[in-house]
């Protein structure tokens, strides 16, 4: 798709409570705001919350997220219900984001509010063969499987993008999924590639004793492979963040390190919510989102003013 990029001041990755609160504050500060991500993928979507200040009732996660979206839209934020697939910077220092749909968005500031991944297959062999052929990161480990046969598990953007990437190095790429849940552009790319698809199937067991030898599917089929990539959910938050040069908290090496202004070490990149570490609480996500939204709007305005001379 060769459309002109859509320009914003602030782009927020994630439409959970951190991203929504950031959107409300950035949009009210008169920034042009885009919000990416799928509400149904927020940790809050299926939760029932009884510990949110001033709300002495049981809140339904899906309902509050929907309210938050309407509120942010009222202040001018624009929503793109899809994942970001690539993140780069242009010569002016703007962030350039490639979406699942093939569209390109640009912005002066970014807020990372992608939550945390809790995605495991929980099948025999997964824990035992981790690092012996089982991997959770295509971009980190693809090169170990040059000319080998590999299996990718997952039905969303992470799995599809991962399988397409693996086609460049592996001899055979198998994608095991129930039903694809991606934008039609990405689905088309997968269906018209050399990926061997196994729709409607699940991995029942990862086979091998000292290294991966293959997988057994729930339909009885066995696939010979030396690598199994578990890529459930959206394209990895940390993968995208670290590609930008964002540093992680040195103790956990799992969460983005931020200042009290929710700034990361990369100018113009802010982070909020679960991606910054525990406690996993809506109240924390919302508080951090508020600060990130205001700071990012401020930063973007200054950068735009510098460019305008
Ligand atoms: C079962 C359960 C019960 C819970 N109960 C409570 C409770 O009672 N009280 C409480 O305070 N908290 C509770 N929590 C925790 C709370 O839900 C989280 O702390 C909160 O949702 C974190 O918000 P977040 O915005 O950081 O991330 P999330 O809400 O997880 O949102 C992440 C967003 O990022 C998006 N995203 C991910 N990758 C990409 C990508 N590549 N491109 C674009 N977007 C992307 C997703 O689509 C999603 O929209 C519960 C959580 C669970 C799982």
């Amino acid at each position: 798709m060769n459309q002109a990029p859509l320009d914003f001041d602030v782009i927020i990755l994630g439409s959970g409570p951190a991203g929504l609160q950031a959107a409300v504050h950035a949009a009210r500060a008169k920034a042009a705001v885009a919000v990416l991500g799928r509400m149904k993928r927020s940790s809050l979507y299926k939760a029932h919350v009884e510990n949110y200040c001033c709300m002495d009732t049981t809140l339904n996660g899906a309902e509050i997220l929907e309210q938050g979206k309407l509120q942010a839209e009222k202040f001018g934020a624009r929503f793109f219900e899809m994942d970001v697939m690539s993140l780069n910077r242009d010569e002016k220092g703007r962030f350039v984001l490639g979406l699942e749909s093939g569209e390109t968005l640009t912005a002066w500031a970014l807020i990372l509010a992608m939550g945390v991944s809790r995605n495991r297959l929980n099948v025999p062999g997964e824990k035992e063969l981790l690092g012996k052929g089982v991997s959770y990161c295509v971009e980190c480990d693809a090169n170990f499987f040059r000319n080998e046969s590999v299996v990718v598990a997952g039905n969303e953007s992470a799995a599809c993008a991962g399988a397409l990437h693996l086609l460049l190095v592996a001899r055979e790429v198998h994608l095991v999924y129930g039903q694809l849940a991606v934008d039609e552009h990405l689905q088309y790319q997968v269906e018209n590639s050399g990926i061997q698809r196994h729709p409607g199937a699940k991995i029942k067991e990862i086979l091998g004793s000292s290294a991966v030898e293959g997988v057994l599917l729930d339909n009885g089929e066995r696939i010979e492979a030396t690598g199994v990539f578990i890529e459930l959910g959206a394209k990895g938050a940390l993968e995208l963040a670290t590609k930008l040069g964002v540093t992680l908290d040195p103790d956990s090496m799992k969460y983005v390190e931020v200042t009290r202004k929710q700034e990361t070490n990369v100018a113009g990149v802010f982070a909020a919510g679960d991606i910054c570490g525990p406690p996993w609480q809506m109240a924390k996500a919302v508080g951090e989102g508020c600060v990130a939204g205001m700071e990012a709007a401020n930063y973007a305005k200054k950068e735009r003013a510098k460019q305008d001379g």
Side-chain angles (χ1 to χ4, degrees):
M1 195 183 285
N2 279 329
Q3 289 172 352
L6 296 169
D7 296 322
F8 293 91
D9 293 318
V10 178
I11 295 182
I12 300 165
L13 306 184
S15 54
L20 292 172
Q21 189 71 58
V24 167
H25 276 83
R28 281 177 63 93
K30 302 277 179 269
V33 175
V35 185
L36 309 183
R38 293 179 159 86
M39 208 156 277
K40 285 189 177 165
R41 296 294 308 176
S42 160
S43 293
L44 197 62
Y45 192 77
K46 289 187 178 150
H48 291 92
V49 178
E50 292 185 336
N51 58 357
Y52 193 67
C53 180
C54 311
M55 305 298 284
D56 190 14
T57 172
T58 304
L59 301 170
N60 172 308
E63 280 172 22
I64 38 181
L65 287 167
E66 198 48 52
Q67 283 294 326
K69 180 181 178 211
L70 293 173
Q71 190 184 10
E73 278 177 335
K74 191 176 81 184
F75 295 120
R78 186 158 162 204
F79 283 73
F80 295 79
E81 185 106 357
M82 61 183 82
D83 301 332
V84 61
M85 305 303 292
S86 65
L87 250 180
N88 292 295
R89 279 190 116 148
D90 68 10
E91 67 291 347
K92 291 183 183 166
R94 284 181 313 187
F95 298 97
V96 182
L97 287 78
L99 306 193
E100 256 179 78
S101 60
E103 285 167 288
T104 304
L105 309 185
T106 62
W108 294 102
L110 268 191
I111 300 176
L112 308 177
M114 291 106 109
V116 284
S117 162
R118 298 176 173 83
N119 298 322
R120 294 281 179 275
L121 277 181
N122 294 320
V123 296
E126 181 176 8
K127 241 194 257 161
E128 298 81 350
L129 293 166
L130 180 62
K132 297 171 185 162
V134 171
S135 166
Y136 294 93
C137 178
V138 167
E139 282 182 23
C140 318
D141 295 334
N143 278 333
F144 295 121
F145 298 92
R146 199 159 282 282
N147 299 322
E148 304 275 327
S149 167
V150 294
V151 174
V152 181
N155 69 331
E156 295 184 43
S157 60
C160 292
L164 288 167
H165 180 77
L166 280 161
L167 270 186
L168 305 174
V169 286
R171 172 172 47 85
E172 236 175 67
V173 179
H174 297 263
L175 180 61
V176 178
Y177 56 93
Q179 197 181 2
L180 288 185
V182 293
D183 183 88
E184 58 187 25
H185 176 77
L186 188 55
Q187 179 160 351
Y188 179 86
Q189 282 182 295
V190 168
E191 288 173 354
N192 290 280
S193 69
I195 296 169
Q196 299 188 36
R197 291 176 286 126
H198 302 265
K202 277 191 195 148
I203 292 180
K204 196 171 159 199
E205 186 178 348
I206 300 176
L207 307 167
S209 46
S210 56
V212 167
E213 290 168 14
V215 297
L216 181 64
L217 304 187
D218 61 347
N219 59 14
E221 193 187 344
R222 191 187 154 116
I223 306 172
E224 307 291 330
T226 52
V228 177
F229 288 91
I230 297 162
E231 290 281 358
L232 309 177
K235 184 146 167 78
L238 292 183
E239 227 171 282
L240 291 166
T242 48
K243 204 176 156 229
L244 276 179
V246 167
T247 53
L248 304 181
D249 148 57
D251 293 331
S252 69
M253 287 309 286
K254 283 199 270 184
Y255 309 118
V256 170
E257 196 170 42
V258 284
T259 66
R260 283 186 60 84
K261 289 184 174 180
Q262 302 303 129
E263 301 154 309
T264 69
N265 61 308
V266 178
V269 182
F270 301 79
D274 282 4
I275 196 171
C276 302
W280 318 125
Q281 289 292 299
M282 179 166 94
K284 171 184 168 284
V286 160
E288 292 182 355
C290 153
V291 177
M294 292 199 278
E295 293 295 330
N298 227 347
Y299 177 92
K301 266 187 224 159
K302 283 188 194 146
E303 287 303 303
R304 195 182 273 283
K306 269 194 231 162
Q307 290 294 325
D308 294 344

